[in-house]
Amino acid sequence: MNHDFTCTELVQSCLDIISKHDKVLGAFITVTGEQALSEARIVDEKIKRGEQIGILEGIPYSVKDVILTEGVKTTAGSNMLKDFVAPYDATVIKRMKQAGAIMIGKTNCDAYGHGASNEYSDFFPSRNPWDTKLVPGGSSGGSAVSVSADMAIFSLGGDTGGSIRQPASLSGVTALRVSYGRISRYGGIAYASSFDTIGPITKSAEDAAIVIEALAGQDENDHTTRPEIVPEYSKLLDKKETLTIGIPKEFFPSTLDADVKAKVLESIEILKKLGHTVKEISLPYSTDVALATYNILTRAETSSNLERLDGVRYGHRSKDANTLEELYMNSRAEGFGAENKLRIMLGSYVLSAGYYDAYYKKGQKVRTIIRNDFDRVFKEVDVIVCPTSPTTAFSLGQKTGDPVQMDLSDVFTVSFSLAGIPAISVPCALSKGLPVGMQIAGRYFEEERVLRLAHQYQQASDYHKQKPPL
Amino acid sequence: MKEDLETIIGLEVHVQLKTQSGMFCRCSVGIDDAPPNTHICAVCLGQVGALPLINKKAVELCTSMGLALECEISKHSKWDRKNYFYPDLPKGYQISQYDLPLCAKGKLEITRPDGTKFTVRIHRIHLEEDAAKTMHKGDKTLVDFNRSGTPLAELVTEPDLRSVEDARLFLQELQLIVRSIGASHADMEKGHLRCDASISLRPMGETKLYPRTEIKNLNSFRNVERALAYEVKKQSSLWQEGKPNSGDITVLWDDAKQSTRLMRDKESAADYRYFPEPDIPEVELAEEYVTSIKLSLPELPSAKRKRYARDYSIKREDIESYVTDLNLANFFESVAEKLGNIPEKVKLASNYITSDLAGHLAAGQLSGEDMKLPSHEHFAKLINMISTGELSSRGGKDVLLIMHKSGGDPEVIARENNLIQKHDEGELIKIVEQVIKDNEKVVADYKAGKQASLQYLVGQGMKASKGNANPTVLSKLLITAMASEAPEI
């Protein structure tokens, strides 16, 4: 330990940046400053006494507001839960507490993860620190902003179809979507149960490795977590190995922004120089078809997951209700935003009698085909590299009138979600002054390899070190 | 013109399983009379972020039920969400099993009191979670979530029942079976066992099924019978008028009015948007798992009836008492063994157990494990004493009462209370001689042929011995004594 600064100083500096910039950036819904400082003081005392502290101990982090934090308001970015105080800690929060990390606040997000720009937060939009007229991406937009602007050293975000990777790409930070079942979902407000993951947004792949080491592992509260042991990810980053990298041709269509395309291809050259082999592969169902499939399945699951928000036991309850039906209809009409309602209606429709087979059941079958397609390519390649997002950050208000356009921001991220495989986004360039993200995906439960390649890349480049002009 | 109509009944039964915790959470369940909302957690309250956890015991108990009813057990386990809004359903969906129930295609054969038999096919049994309890207080509705998440086994029969009486017999046997395998307390009044009955009629001889009436809100066997009987009558008149129901309907049984009334259509026509539960991975149950449950099933009522009829020559009613009460049955078997399985003694023992002993236990309002049974050694000794005549039947009952209240060795009790019948012939001969001396006229009547006089003399002998004489022995001695006297010419 270098004792360059105290924990209290570190936390205070984060809080100072928040007070200086968050009115504009809108990263936080709740700042837990007092609590953070008192925890920091305890850590400093420990250090003074010469006690050993853990690697994450005293490190300030932010939490996407869909993750429950006991005793602290947890809103999911939604009016429905605007005054909801979480009655228990999510498993990931328990593990962060065990590691001694210090929570600095709850970050803004598209309500329930329904969005790709953070404009569908019911409270206020978040803004990109690189250009505040632009979106930071979503739905973990607030989390990405908090790390990008140094308001937190790392953040816990959520990724369903790209919600951790895409904002990282647009805001110039690193984010890892873990394999489905690697990290517990218990205590995360569900968007789409068979797609949701919780993961780290950080300044580097190395930091991401450190964080998931503390978070990963089976949880008795979540049947979808797996018993595989948790490797010491952070200690395995320098292992020498040569990889075959697959470049899926469908992910570099002619419609892709020319500069983004060029920058990502340049980054792939760097990977080649590191000694890896690059080969073209084909994943014909993993862009448009994947997006359509993803939309159907996630809307279905979310329409069911949000049924519990009915005004009966917690959350918003309408004052204008005289019958049970009015209680339900009015509470939900008042509590949910337009995008939430859209997804709930679509989801209910695809599950309804007479349509289930044509949409949901068929969607499940296509999901299997897409999974099998990944199995096929992973026989020839070890990792897949492609752009994270088809564009750099777009303007606030640019896509909010067009759901299809908004959904298209996820076209390169959803297929990995359908397959449940790990994928990381790392800053790989600036295009016209805005961050570009490169995505590295690997086999199921091979985040070790994904992190290693990302770490290697970050040792041969320094885009991840660049800071927005705040 | 009177048409001969046949009654078709099918039953849907929900059985609350006897587990420590919920179907999908760790909350304690099955605690009757707990203060409302004191056994709740994030999962069964439908909190955001909560996830379901499978209760293995519930899967075991439902599998046991299926095996007891000769069902096929599905090795592939799958769960589904049944989506609808109601205040007693905290998640807005119930986790259940839709297209792949745990158990299917079983059957239950039942013997009627008159000895005839009928078989009911079990269509399916699946696991699901119970909803919360709602109570109406004035214009308010209150919800108690203690019950939310309790494991339920839902059993659906084929429409094989042909009479109201058969339906009741089926329910009673089902209740007996789930109790005997330890799957449920199955107390209908406490809601451990709930029944919806579906009924339709059709002209005798036809094979097609006509639209059915589903009756809900039946909370006792008696109500099931009454409601079904009511519907039989009602539908019969409709058929006589030539206007049977044209479609399926759902009705509620109104206990106060002793009639059924139509439920609102909305409740019967819901689209539940079933889809596979993504929070619970599909699993394969190992063959060994099912086999081990099958091997650990206790003796089922039907098997016990067969065994008792074969091994003990006791009344059918006695067999039923034992089939319904495991503790009493075990007691009986131990006593029978102690008595060397000698048929007359076993029969005698069974009489005392099912009438006197059972009577004392009922009066003490104890049952099941609370029953205070005498030791089977003492009880067997008591039966032996009655059998040999050491105790009269009256004396036996008195000793038993004392044994029930405070235990003890029957021989000791009998002696202390002067209940041992004297059949020491020496003593009795003295009494006989005295009785003959004191009752010359009656003796003369007997010798003249009046048999009834013997009874009078026996009675006198009993009085003289303060009730301790063995009347059979007394009678024998009197006859001998009177015969040895020279008849009067």
Side-chain angles (χ1 to χ4, degrees):
Chain A
M1 232 186 320
N2 291 335
H3 299 274
D4 292 337
F5 44 80
T6 64
C7 180
T8 306
E9 281 168 349
L10 177 60
V11 172
Q12 190 60 59
S13 80
C14 291
L15 293 172
D16 290 342
I17 297 176
I18 294 173
S19 14
K20 192 165 172 203
H21 295 285
D22 206 38
K23 262 194 193 64
V24 171
L25 295 179
F28 286 88
I29 293 174
T30 305
V31 179
T32 49
E34 294 280 319
Q35 177 66 22
L37 285 169
S38 83
E39 284 174 31
R41 282 189 279 273
I42 293 173
V43 175
D44 281 333
E45 245 137 72
K46 242 175 136 178
I47 297 173
K48 230 182 259 171
R49 287 197 297 269
E51 282 176 46
Q52 275 277 62
I53 60 165
I55 190 164
L56 285 171
E57 202 163 343
I59 306 294
Y61 75 107
S62 65
V63 179
K64 183 178 184 181
D65 217 13
V66 293
I67 298 170
L68 268 70
T69 44
E70 190 178 339
V72 176
K73 216 170 61 168
T74 301
T75 68
S78 171
N79 275 325
M80 186 64 93
L81 295 171
K82 74 178 196 297
D83 299 312
F84 178 72
V85 174
Y88 67 96
D89 271 335
T91 297
V92 292
I93 299 298
K94 282 202 197 104
R95 293 185 181 185
M96 285 288 96
K97 281 181 176 171
Q98 265 160 19
I102 295 178
M103 184 175 80
I104 205 134
K106 305 300 292 297
T107 56
N108 196 17
C109 55
D110 290 301
Y112 309 105
H114 294 174
S117 67
N118 249 51
E119 293 172 283
Y120 296 143
S121 156
D122 284 351
F123 308 127
F124 43 83
S126 301
R127 290 162 193 278
N128 197 314
W130 290 80
D131 180 339
T132 57
K133 292 190 304 299
L134 308 179
V135 303
S139 61
S140 309
S143 281
V145 171
S146 70
V147 176
S148 172
D150 288 332
M151 294 167 172
I153 304 302
F154 70 94
S155 185
L156 295 186
D159 189 300
T160 301
S163 294
I164 213 176
R165 293 163 283 164
Q166 186 255 31
S169 171
L170 268 51
S171 304
V173 288
T174 300
L176 172 66
R177 179 202 162 85
V178 293
S179 305
Y180 182 82
R182 178 77 280 190
I183 292 178
S184 172
R185 290 183 294 124
Y186 182 74
I189 299 177
Y191 163 8
S193 314
S194 71
F195 294 85
D196 290 347
T197 60
I198 295 176
I201 299 181
T202 55
K203 295 180 206 283
S204 68
E206 184 178 6
D207 283 356
I210 293 170
V211 175
I212 69 161
E213 227 175 287
L215 292 178
Q218 191 163 41
D219 180 14
E220 57 173 8
N221 286 316
D222 179 352
H223 271 327
T224 60
T225 54
R226 295 189 56 90
E228 274 78 339
I229 59 142
V230 180
E232 291 184 289
Y233 293 112
S234 58
K235 299 197 171 65
L236 297 162
L237 296 170
D238 293 312
K239 193 167 110 175
K240 291 272 172 279
E241 74 177 344
T242 316
L243 301 172
T244 306
I245 298 172
I247 311 294
K249 63 179 194 225
E250 293 85 359
F251 287 56
F252 292 84
S254 51
T255 48
L256 175 61
D257 181 299
D259 204 33
V260 168
K261 186 179 195 171
K263 295 288 196 304
V264 173
L265 289 172
E266 266 170 45
S267 309
I268 291 170
E269 287 304 309
I270 296 178
L271 295 175
K272 259 198 209 153
K273 285 205 188 74
L274 290 171
H276 304 294
T277 316
V278 166
K279 97 189 247 194
E280 189 183 80
I281 56 173
S282 174
L283 287 167
Y285 315 116
S286 293
T287 50
D288 301 335
V289 171
L291 195 55
T293 307
Y294 170 83
N295 282 346
I296 287 170
L297 297 176
T298 54
R299 270 66 171 161
E301 289 181 9
T302 207
S303 74
S304 178
N305 285 329
L306 294 182
E307 282 158 5
R308 64 190 66 197
L309 294 165
D310 56 9
V312 173
R313 287 148 291 114
Y314 56 88
H316 173 70
R317 182 193 277 201
S318 175
K319 293 188 176 52
D320 294 310
N322 295 314
T323 65
L324 180 63
E325 197 162 309
E326 281 175 17
L327 181 78
Y328 287 146
M329 308 261 275
N330 297 354
S331 303
R332 289 166 67 83
E334 292 161 17
F336 288 133
E339 183 66 20
N340 306 137
K341 290 172 188 164
L342 177 63
R343 296 190 189 206
I344 291 170
M345 287 194 288
L346 279 172
S348 306
Y349 181 80
V350 306
L351 288 176
S352 61
Y355 296 100
Y356 176 88
D357 284 353
Y359 293 107
Y360 187 83
K361 196 165 175 187
K362 193 168 258 181
Q364 288 285 52
K365 288 184 178 166
V366 178
R367 187 174 190 178
T368 304
I369 291 174
I370 291 172
R371 279 207 172 114
N372 292 344
D373 218 28
F374 276 105
D375 287 342
R376 172 183 59 77
V377 304
F378 278 127
K379 287 199 179 86
E380 309 163 27
V381 304
D382 300 307
V383 291
I384 295 168
V385 173
C386 60
T388 305
S389 164
T391 64
T392 54
F394 44 91
S395 304
L396 284 141
Q398 183 180 332
K399 298 193 184 189
T400 46
D402 194 340
V404 175
Q405 275 305 311
M406 187 68 90
D407 286 344
L408 276 169
S409 344
D410 288 335
V411 71
F412 298 138
T413 50
V414 292
S415 62
F416 306 125
S417 302
L418 283 159
I421 59 179
I424 195 170
S425 177
V426 292
C428 73
L430 285 178
S431 165
K432 301 177 188 116
L434 295 173
V436 177
M438 173 175 71
Q439 205 177 181
I440 303 170
R443 296 185 187 91
Y444 188 56
F445 268 68
E446 281 192 8
E447 21 276 286
E448 183 193 319
R449 178 163 283 161
V450 166
L451 284 164
R452 190 156 44 231
L453 184 60
H455 174 68
Q456 268 195 345
Y457 173 79
Q458 288 181 339
Q459 288 184 309
S461 67
D462 58 9
Y463 289 106
H464 61 290
K465 294 194 182 134
Q466 304 213 339
K467 289 198 185 289
L470 275 177
Chain B
M1 192 204 72
K2 227 183 169 195
E3 243 191 303
D4 238 359
L5 295 167
E6 188 179 26
T7 304
I8 317 285
I9 297 172
L11 298 175
E12 185 182 299
V13 185
H14 285 89
V15 178
Q16 212 172 73
L17 296 174
K18 203 164 70 172
T19 55
Q20 300 270 48
S21 51
M23 184 68 238
F24 300 113
C25 73
R26 298 197 194 91
C27 283
S28 302
V29 294
I31 304 170
D32 299 325
D33 309 322
N37 295 314
T38 49
H39 293 278
I40 53 176
C41 70
V43 180
C44 61
L45 203 61
Q47 278 287 353
V48 281
L51 295 170
L53 305 171
I54 300 276
N55 182 325
K56 293 200 189 94
K57 185 80 191 167
V59 177
E60 236 177 77
L61 292 178
C62 187
T63 304
S64 300
M65 249 180 93
L67 291 168
L69 293 165
E70 299 183 58
C71 294
E72 288 165 20
I73 307 297
S74 169
K75 302 290 184 326
H76 186 81
S77 156
K78 173 182 177 273
W79 300 88
D80 302 286
R81 291 192 187 178
K82 180 181 182 181
N83 301 278
Y84 65 95
F85 283 92
Y86 204 66
D88 67 2
L89 198 66
K91 294 187 296 297
Y93 58 86
Q94 178 198 44
I95 302 179
S96 175
Q97 295 183 302
Y98 180 51
D99 55 342
L100 201 61
L102 182 60
C103 321
K105 299 206 191 87
K107 68 182 197 291
L108 180 59
E109 189 191 73
I110 301 187
T111 307
R112 298 189 185 94
D114 68 3
T116 57
K117 299 187 208 269
F118 66 96
T119 302
V120 181
R121 289 167 301 160
I122 309 296
H123 177 54
R124 55 182 278 158
I125 311 175
H126 74 258
L127 279 165
E128 59 182 35
E129 51 176 342
D130 208 350
K133 231 196 292 208
T134 51
M135 282 157 267
H136 301 283
K137 261 197 172 144
D139 64 344
K140 287 194 174 34
T141 301
L142 306 172
V143 191
D144 175 10
F145 288 92
N146 285 345
R147 199 184 70 178
S148 168
T150 304
L152 291 179
E154 179 181 314
L155 180 152
V156 182
T157 72
E158 300 287 3
D160 289 348
L161 295 156
R162 293 286 172 271
S163 74
V164 175
E165 169 74 3
D166 281 359
R168 186 181 54 79
L169 289 171
F170 172 83
L171 279 174
Q172 284 177 326
E173 187 68 3
L174 179 64
Q175 182 188 53
L176 191 54
I177 289 173
V178 300
R179 279 180 176 167
S180 72
I181 63 176
S184 173
H185 293 295
D187 197 334
M188 235 180 139
E189 276 76 9
K190 290 210 175 112
H192 304 144
L193 194 145
R194 294 168 230 160
C195 179
D196 293 337
S198 285
I199 179 169
S200 65
L201 305 182
R202 72 178 171 209
M204 196 70 87
E206 286 196 32
T207 52
K208 82 170 209 190
L209 287 172
Y210 284 81
R212 59 168 176 70
T213 299
E214 190 186 10
I215 314 170
K216 290 175 120 53
N217 196 33
L218 301 165
N219 56 15
S220 68
F221 289 155
R222 218 181 45 180
N223 279 351
V224 172
E225 269 188 302
R226 286 188 180 162
L228 285 169
Y230 177 88
E231 275 294 319
V232 170
K233 203 160 164 220
K234 180 168 182 187
Q235 288 184 33
S236 296
S237 344
L238 290 174
W239 273 90
Q240 309 303 13
E241 289 166 30
K243 286 185 260 170
N245 285 327
S246 55
D248 289 347
I249 57 168
T250 305
V251 298
L252 283 176
W253 171 250
D254 190 328
D255 204 33
K257 297 207 178 104
Q258 292 285 297
S259 65
T260 60
R261 67 166 197 279
L262 197 65
M263 265 177 90
R264 283 172 304 171
D265 283 314
K266 207 186 292 197
E267 269 140 329
S268 12
D271 176 5
Y272 295 115
R273 286 171 285 122
Y274 282 101
F275 73 100
E277 171 56 80
D279 289 329
I280 305 173
E282 299 188 16
V283 292
E284 295 299 315
L285 296 178
E287 185 69 55
E288 298 81 55
Y289 172 80
V290 178
T291 310
S292 77
I293 293 180
K294 192 163 194 179
L295 292 173
S296 62
L297 276 181
E299 189 180 34
L300 294 175
S302 52
K304 199 183 209 102
R305 285 187 191 103
K306 282 200 184 85
R307 179 167 69 86
Y308 272 37
R310 184 193 67 209
D311 295 348
Y312 308 111
S313 34
I314 56 177
K315 293 189 297 232
R316 201 174 156 276
E317 292 82 19
D318 284 8
I319 296 182
E320 270 319 292
S321 300
Y322 299 131
V323 166
T324 3
D325 191 327
L326 181 63
N327 283 304
L328 209 62
N330 289 340
F331 181 74
F332 166 71
E333 286 189 46
S334 315
V335 168
E337 199 188 329
K338 239 352 228 179
L339 291 171
N341 284 314
I342 296 166
E344 306 83 56
K345 291 192 182 180
V346 167
K347 222 185 279 207
L348 186 63
S350 190
N351 283 340
Y352 275 90
I353 292 174
T354 57
S355 43
D356 300 87
L357 184 57
H360 293 320
L361 296 167
Q365 284 164 337
L366 298 166
S367 63
E369 288 107 40
D370 294 335
M371 278 206 298
K372 220 177 62 186
L373 289 163
S375 89
H376 64 268
E377 287 103 351
H378 286 167
F379 193 87
K381 199 173 192 183
L382 174 68
I383 297 300
N384 272 321
M385 289 174 73
I386 298 170
S387 173
T388 58
E390 216 178 325
L391 276 174
S392 67
S393 154
R394 172 75 262 155
K397 285 182 201 292
D398 292 340
V399 171
L400 180 57
L401 182 58
I402 295 168
M403 276 168 68
H404 166 71
K405 285 207 173 113
S406 39
D409 186 318
E411 208 174 347
V412 174
I413 295 171
R415 210 168 289 135
E416 283 174 0
N417 291 276
N418 243 331
L419 290 167
I420 299 214
Q421 285 195 134
K422 293 191 178 38
H423 40 214
D424 168 6
E425 296 209 353
E427 262 200 62
L428 288 181
I429 283 177
K430 290 201 190 83
I431 292 175
V432 160
E433 285 172 356
Q434 190 63 44
V435 163
I436 291 177
K437 223 194 245 161
D438 296 339
N439 294 279
E440 278 179 21
K441 172 115 190 9
V442 181
V443 173
D445 287 341
Y446 173 75
K447 288 186 185 168
K450 197 172 170 197
Q451 284 295 327
S453 306
L454 178 61
Q455 292 305 21
Y456 177 79
L457 295 170
V458 171
Q460 291 303 300
M462 293 295 291
K463 218 158 88 178
S465 75
K466 295 189 181 66
N468 284 336
N470 184 320
T472 320
V473 178
L474 258 185
S475 178
K476 196 185 77 185
L477 292 172
L478 279 163
I479 293 171
T480 314
M482 290 189 285
S484 67
E485 286 190 9
E488 303 221 334
I489 307 165

